[in-house]
Amino acid sequence: MSEIHIAQIGELFQEDESFEFLSNQNMLEYDFIIIDLKHLSSSLHQTKLAKIDKRVSELNEFILKKNIPVVFFCDGSSSFYPFNSSKLSFFELLGLEVTEELAQGKKFEINSSSLFSDFLKIYSKDLEYTIGFSHFNGINISNAKAKNLSVAFYTKDFVFLPTFNEEWDFYDQTFLTQLYEVCKGIRKDEGTTHLPEWTNQYLLPGEKNERENLNRINNEISKLLENKQESERRLATFIPLKHLWSGTGNTLENSAKMVFKELGFTLLPSEPNRDDIIMKWQDKIIIVEIKGQTKSAAEKNAAQLEKWVTTYYLEKEILPKGLLLVNTYRELPLEKRTQSSFPDQMHKFSIDRNHCLLSTLQLNTLLLYCREHPEQKEVEINKLIETTGVYENFQKWDDFIKIADNEKQKKSPIKKEKVSNS
């Protein structure tokens, strides 16, 4: 399946684009729209009815042309009055007759005849309800445990699901892709007459065996999806390490912080609008200046580090260790980073000021070494902190990072060259 272009109103998912409901964003640019109803409620407060009606019409146009309903995640009551002169709720603006009741919980009774039955069996542990529906014109998805109160339902145009609990932890794209597939089936299934739930009390010949077989298959799918999500989570942990030798700006800084934390450094608060990291190792204070460069490091980078070191000394009367951490030649493949990361003209300035010069690729390799040899971690970190000038260790990145053995490389093998200071 080609990539799904998903948009959200709210900030439920980190990976996906978002826009405000009352913005001028063309909804038809997307394939699927999800809405945080609590966020929507707050954004429509005291807004004129005409403006909301216009966007609701555009939302209905999206549903009609894309042939897929819009999904709402319900967090708290949505029977709000977003404008002064009307007593309409947002459900009424959507053309729905809904009566809400306050209710809260995490246990669901799933309607097995709903299109969402298999989906909710997989993800119900990640959801919680904060509102229920005693009356609605749609198909029930799930009830609150032991209560005749729906917590999720759908129509051909809209889906209303519970919100996420604090423990939810799954890969956004997997969840959204599966939700998209279920929703695509709703309008296709529009002409199908849904059976009342009481018909499930009666079994036709062979129906019991087929239901049991389907349950076994669903259990296997659930386990495979859990394994898939766990694998995706593990793969996601590699991304910050690759940002160390490809990133710049906040991305690079956040990756470096993650590595320093894992190595055992304590990160200390720094003043706003400062680029440096302040951290502690045992009784030593270290100031880190981080840069992402398309070429080698520069003397101005070392001068900036010295500024932060001096500032800290003047404020705290403690002289910290200065560490210049640079992602040099960040746009080059690793095997092509053959030039020095720290030119000779930088050395005297840094040595005179007790600075340590370190590439992010070396820091990555140091971390990987310490993961394999945790008993050597303290020794190696002390060597790093005691270094004045260029840090010479862990320059052989290919001891730990391997070049993928793909078909292109098999036909045109890359000639490895000696890598220095990168």
Side-chain angles (χ1 to χ4, degrees), residues 33-65:
I33 294 177
I34 54 179
I35 299 177
D36 178 359
L37 206 48
K38 184 176 182 179
H39 176 90
L40 180 66
S41 171
S42 62
S43 70
L44 297 185
H45 183 64
Q46 303 265 326
T47 305
K48 291 183 179 180
L49 177 58
K51 190 169 185 179
I52 298 175
D53 269 339
K54 178 178 180 294
R55 288 301 270 172
V56 169
S57 296
E58 291 170 3
L59 196 65
N60 287 325
E61 180 188 19
F62 167 86
I63 293 166
L64 183 64
K65 290 189 175 180

Side-chain angles (χ1 to χ4, degrees), residues 77-260:
S77 174
S78 53
S79 291
F80 54 91
Y81 306 117
F83 23 81
N84 294 323
S85 60
S86 174
K87 291 298 181 182
L88 292 172
S89 74
F90 189 73
F91 282 118
E92 290 174 294
L93 290 175
L94 297 178
L96 300 174
E97 296 178 5
V98 176
T99 303
E100 294 177 291
E101 288 189 19
L102 292 175
Q104 187 169 351
K106 296 183 179 180
K107 296 190 180 297
F108 304 92
E109 291 179 344
I110 300 169
N111 177 10
S112 59
S113 64
S114 161
L115 290 176
F116 285 83
S117 173
D118 294 339
F119 176 83
L120 203 57
K121 286 175 184 177
I122 296 169
Y123 291 111
S124 61
K125 66 182 184 300
D126 298 301
L127 302 172
E128 65 179 10
Y129 59 89
T130 57
I131 200 71
F133 310 102
S134 58
H135 171 75
F136 55 92
N137 49 335
I139 297 169
N140 184 41
I141 295 174
S142 179
N143 283 358
K145 185 74 172 179
K147 292 190 70 173
N148 187 25
L149 185 69
S150 175
V151 294
F153 71 94
Y154 66 94
T155 69
K156 66 182 179 64
D157 296 330
F158 306 105
V159 177
F160 297 91
L161 295 175
T163 191
F164 302 105
N165 59 40
E166 292 181 356
E167 293 79 30
W168 78 290
D169 182 23
F170 50 79
Y171 187 64
D172 295 356
Q173 201 58 45
T174 300
F175 175 88
L176 291 173
T177 300
Q178 292 171 359
L179 179 59
Y180 172 82
E181 289 300 325
V182 177
C183 290
K184 283 293 286 185
I186 290 177
R187 292 176 70 85
K188 292 178 183 177
D189 196 46
E190 185 181 347
T192 303
T193 301
H194 289 270
L195 293 171
E197 288 191 50
W198 61 262
T199 62
N200 292 326
Q201 301 175 37
Y202 305 93
L203 298 174
L204 294 169
E207 183 178 354
K208 180 180 179 182
N209 289 339
E210 202 56 51
R211 286 186 180 276
E212 290 174 349
N213 184 47
L214 181 60
N215 283 335
R216 281 194 297 270
I217 293 171
N218 285 332
N219 288 335
E220 291 174 9
I221 291 173
S222 180
K223 290 177 182 177
L224 287 171
L225 284 172
E226 288 179 3
N227 291 339
K228 179 176 183 287
Q229 291 158 16
E230 182 58 36
S231 179
E232 287 171 336
R233 281 193 287 269
R234 288 195 298 269
L235 280 171
T237 65
F238 297 118
I239 294 174
L241 294 185
K242 290 190 173 183
H243 283 321
L244 271 184
W245 26 271
S246 63
T248 187
N250 290 334
T251 299
L252 177 61
E253 181 179 333
N254 291 334
S255 296
K257 286 179 178 178
M258 184 205 75
V259 171
F260 284 127

Side-chain angles (χ1 to χ4, degrees), residues 149-374:
L149 185 69
S150 175
V151 294
F153 71 94
Y154 66 94
T155 69
K156 66 182 179 64
D157 296 330
F158 306 105
V159 177
F160 297 91
L161 295 175
T163 191
F164 302 105
N165 59 40
E166 292 181 356
E167 293 79 30
W168 78 290
D169 182 23
F170 50 79
Y171 187 64
D172 295 356
Q173 201 58 45
T174 300
F175 175 88
L176 291 173
T177 300
Q178 292 171 359
L179 179 59
Y180 172 82
E181 289 300 325
V182 177
C183 290
K184 283 293 286 185
I186 290 177
R187 292 176 70 85
K188 292 178 183 177
D189 196 46
E190 185 181 347
T192 303
T193 301
H194 289 270
L195 293 171
E197 288 191 50
W198 61 262
T199 62
N200 292 326
Q201 301 175 37
Y202 305 93
L203 298 174
L204 294 169
E207 183 178 354
K208 180 180 179 182
N209 289 339
E210 202 56 51
R211 286 186 180 276
E212 290 174 349
N213 184 47
L214 181 60
N215 283 335
R216 281 194 297 270
I217 293 171
N218 285 332
N219 288 335
E220 291 174 9
I221 291 173
S222 180
K223 290 177 182 177
L224 287 171
L225 284 172
E226 288 179 3
N227 291 339
K228 179 176 183 287
Q229 291 158 16
E230 182 58 36
S231 179
E232 287 171 336
R233 281 193 287 269
R234 288 195 298 269
L235 280 171
T237 65
F238 297 118
I239 294 174
L241 294 185
K242 290 190 173 183
H243 283 321
L244 271 184
W245 26 271
S246 63
T248 187
N250 290 334
T251 299
L252 177 61
E253 181 179 333
N254 291 334
S255 296
K257 286 179 178 178
M258 184 205 75
V259 171
F260 284 127
K261 282 182 181 179
E262 184 174 340
L263 287 172
F265 289 86
T266 301
L267 298 184
L268 303 176
S270 60
E271 296 296 325
N273 302 319
R274 284 175 58 158
D275 296 332
D276 59 320
I277 292 176
I278 305 174
M279 59 188 189
K280 187 175 183 180
W281 171 260
Q282 297 174 350
D283 61 345
K284 300 180 179 68
I285 300 295
I286 300 98
I287 303 289
V288 186
E289 170 72 2
I290 304 177
K291 291 294 179 185
Q293 302 280 89
T294 56
K295 296 182 180 180
S296 68
E299 291 177 273
K300 64 180 181 180
N301 304 140
Q304 184 64 58
L305 172 62
E306 180 59 20
K307 173 186 173 182
W308 298 135
V309 169
T310 303
T311 299
Y312 190 90
Y313 175 72
L314 293 175
E315 292 175 352
K316 309 288 187 181
E317 295 185 354
I318 298 172
L319 184 62
K321 173 73 176 183
L323 194 158
L324 180 59
L325 178 65
V326 188
N327 179 19
T328 53
Y329 307 103
R330 61 182 175 83
E331 294 180 350
L332 291 178
L334 302 188
E335 66 276 3
K336 294 185 180 295
R337 302 184 187 187
T338 58
Q339 298 185 57
S340 174
S341 289
F342 301 98
D344 292 343
Q345 60 266 31
M346 291 184 62
H347 293 188
K348 185 177 187 307
F349 180 92
S350 297
I351 291 171
D352 288 347
R353 290 158 181 79
N354 194 28
H355 292 175
C356 174
L357 307 179
L358 169 73
S359 76
T360 56
L361 193 51
Q362 286 174 287
L363 179 63
N364 192 168
T365 309
L366 168 62
L367 174 68
L368 297 175
Y369 174 83
C370 290
R371 283 179 176 179
E372 288 192 5
H373 306 280

